[in-house]
Amino acid sequence: MNRYLPTLVLLDCQRESLDPGEAEDDGSNAAVADRIRRLLTSARLSGWPVLHCQYQSNRPAINCGVSVPGAPIDGLAPLSREAVFIRTGLSAYSDPDFGRMIRHYSGPPCFLVGFSAPFSLMATMFDAVARDQRLTVIPEAVGGRAVGPRSASSVRDISFDLIDRLSSTMPLDEVVATWLRSPETPTLKKIGIG
């Protein structure tokens, strides 16, 4: 483990987060998933610790009758060496091991990306502040859902108005320039980041 590398946290990167038939414009959840996929690939190539936090669906599994997390979005599935936390509440911190792991990797930035803006994202950010743990959100790598008459992009923008007051954010291009460009990672341009 390298304690000088950032940590990447993927929050709710499950298929249920993508709307079927959604137009793939720059603000769509499909476009967000693609950005997360490229960032995840680069982070893995750079040796970053990667943590996954998934929500537990209410659907029982076929064989054992217990609830299981939904399937990951294609290209965002955890590797066997990556920690997976199952949130049963609104916040990622509803899995008690999540907070312990964030504390373990404190020092360099802990970047948060994923879906569920505003709900899970906001609850996780409030819990991080309450625990004096710093999470840095990458706005271009966060998707959300429409709420009532508000579109998903409108809800996402409202969420970031509050997130900017709670914690830090860092644009994706700054993350790439600061943390991913090095002689050890010459393939970043090839995969579309940087």
Side-chain angles (χ1 to χ4, degrees), residues 48-184:
W48 293 14
V50 177
L51 310 176
H52 300 260
C53 185
Q54 302 174 345
Y55 61 92
Q56 190 170 15
S57 73
N58 293 326
R59 293 173 298 174
I62 294 172
N63 295 333
C64 55
V66 296
S67 295
V68 296
I73 295 169
D74 293 339
L76 300 180
L79 299 179
S80 60
R81 68 178 180 266
E82 296 170 348
V84 178
F85 303 94
I86 306 300
R87 71 171 180 84
T88 55
L90 200 52
S91 168
Y93 287 91
S94 63
D95 182 322
D97 291 327
F98 180 79
R100 285 191 279 271
M101 190 64 82
I102 296 299
R103 187 172 38 257
H104 175 74
Y105 286 116
S106 65
C110 185
F111 293 114
L112 180 65
V113 300
F115 295 90
S116 295
F119 306 110
S120 179
L121 179 71
M122 295 302 300
T124 299
M125 295 308 294
F126 277 116
D127 279 350
V129 169
R131 289 167 172 78
D132 200 26
Q133 294 182 336
R134 192 169 185 148
L135 298 176
T136 302
V137 180
I138 303 173
E140 301 90 341
V142 171
R145 293 232 177 238
V147 177
R150 297 191 185 275
S151 69
S153 61
S154 173
V155 168
R156 190 182 153 286
D157 291 345
I158 292 168
S159 299
F160 275 99
D161 184 45
L162 186 53
I163 287 170
D164 285 335
R165 298 171 198 206
L166 284 173
S167 185
S168 63
T169 61
M170 186 179 290
L172 181 59
D173 59 350
E174 188 177 335
V175 172
V176 170
T178 305
W179 293 101
L180 290 171
R181 292 192 181 178
S182 71
E184 295 84 44

